[in-house]
Amino acid sequence: MEIVLVPGFWLGASAWQEVARHLDYAGHRAHPLTLPGLERDDPARTVVTVPDQVAAIVAAIDGARETNALGDPEGGERDVVLVGHSGGGPLAAAALDARPERVARVIYVDAWPLAPGEVVPSGLEPVDGVVPLPEWDAFEDEDLVDLTDELREEFRRQAVPEPGLVVTGAIELDDDERRRAVPATIIACEFGADQLRSWVEGGVDFVSELRMLRDWEVVELPTGHWPMFTRPRELAEKILEVID
């Protein structure tokens, strides 16, 4: 399978390095992305929008066909698994909306899809057009489980200010029927499966789109919010189990 890996806020392709290595070793092809505005010296960071980043994910889905020797360029074979972490999850859902015929399954890592017109509920406010990685005390304790001082240093070394227009921009979706028919898996790290199901069954607004999916499941990987740093091998194994 072609596995497109979409990072969350502040991160690029390098955050997926260990996960991608395990996926490639298992015989798949991983495509970790650095989205527009997340290159370290991007001069256009402040004008990058949600549609810009979604277009980059769609381009990666389309490009995966070119690297897949078994793919049928005319046929629309479902040969892509789309993985989105945290704030990258709703972006992945928007790319799925544009290419539902190509995606065999979408996997949300500590994330879920948003309803059309919603904004990622981060609570972050841009300053001078960007949102830098906050200090660690701005996060909940659950976010930081297993994130050692060494891993925090590495995270901050990789981190790039997030484009403000992405943090505050709405997710636009059009193809509700086909998007919602693609099977989905949520890999729950900082929250449990029972908690997520209780939100869905209780009619909580922020999981309203998840409630609309025809086929979804949740699997647990107990750790903090950034398992690609804290438990990369186990995250890759969960992705492989879902694919298999």
Side-chain angles (χ1 to χ4, degrees):
M1 298 294 287
E2 309 293 335
I3 307 175
V4 176
L5 301 167
V6 183
F9 289 168
W10 308 297
L11 297 172
S14 60
W16 291 107
Q17 181 177 356
E18 282 299 303
V19 176
R21 183 172 66 84
H22 288 292
L23 298 176
D24 288 340
Y25 184 77
H28 301 281
R29 272 186 290 246
H31 304 271
L33 304 186
T34 297
L35 298 177
L38 274 297
E39 296 287 356
R40 188 158 298 278
D41 298 318
D42 192 333
R45 198 185 325 276
T46 59
V47 299
V48 171
T49 64
V50 167
D52 293 332
Q53 292 198 344
V54 172
I57 303 169
V58 172
I61 295 172
D62 291 343
R65 172 171 307 199
E66 298 173 7
T67 65
N68 184 353
L70 300 179
D72 177 0
E74 302 297 332
E77 179 182 354
R78 292 180 183 269
D79 58 352
V80 172
V81 172
L82 187 55
V83 181
H85 168 251
S86 188
L91 297 173
L96 170 65
D97 185 75
R99 294 292 186 272
E101 74 280 359
R102 286 296 315 283
V103 178
R105 178 172 290 272
V106 58
I107 299 175
Y108 300 101
V109 181
D110 247 16
W112 48 79
L114 296 180
E118 289 191 335
V119 176
V120 176
S122 66
L124 300 169
E125 293 292 336
V127 176
D128 296 327
V130 299
V131 178
L133 176 65
E135 296 301 320
W136 298 116
D137 60 7
F139 295 99
E140 301 290 338
D141 290 343
E142 293 81 1
D143 293 331
L144 304 175
V145 171
D146 298 331
L147 197 68
T148 64
D149 289 343
E150 181 180 5
L151 291 174
R152 294 184 192 194
E153 182 178 345
E154 175 59 21
F155 188 157
R156 197 163 290 278
R157 185 189 70 80
Q158 293 189 27
V160 172
E162 188 72 24
L165 294 176
V166 173
V167 175
T168 60
I171 301 295
E172 300 300 332
L173 303 167
D174 297 310
D175 196 343
D176 291 351
E177 183 175 353
R178 293 201 300 164
R179 180 186 72 252
R180 291 169 177 167
V182 175
T185 299
I186 291 86
I187 298 180
C189 300
E190 66 169 309
F191 54 86
D194 289 344
Q195 184 177 24
L196 179 60
R197 292 191 184 101
S198 72
W199 291 334
V200 173
E201 293 166 3
V204 177
D205 287 343
F206 57 72
V207 289
S208 62
E209 178 66 16
L210 181 58
R211 193 179 305 114
M212 300 298 292
L213 303 188
R214 295 185 193 174
D215 178 7
W216 67 276
E217 63 178 0
V218 54
V219 297
E220 293 183 333
L221 175 59
T223 187
H225 188 58
W226 293 280
M228 63 284 298
F229 286 99
T230 59
R231 298 182 67 180
R233 179 178 60 82
E234 292 90 340
L235 176 56
E237 289 173 350
K238 290 293 184 183
I239 293 171
L240 292 170
E241 288 172 8
V242 169
I243 293 173
D244 292 341

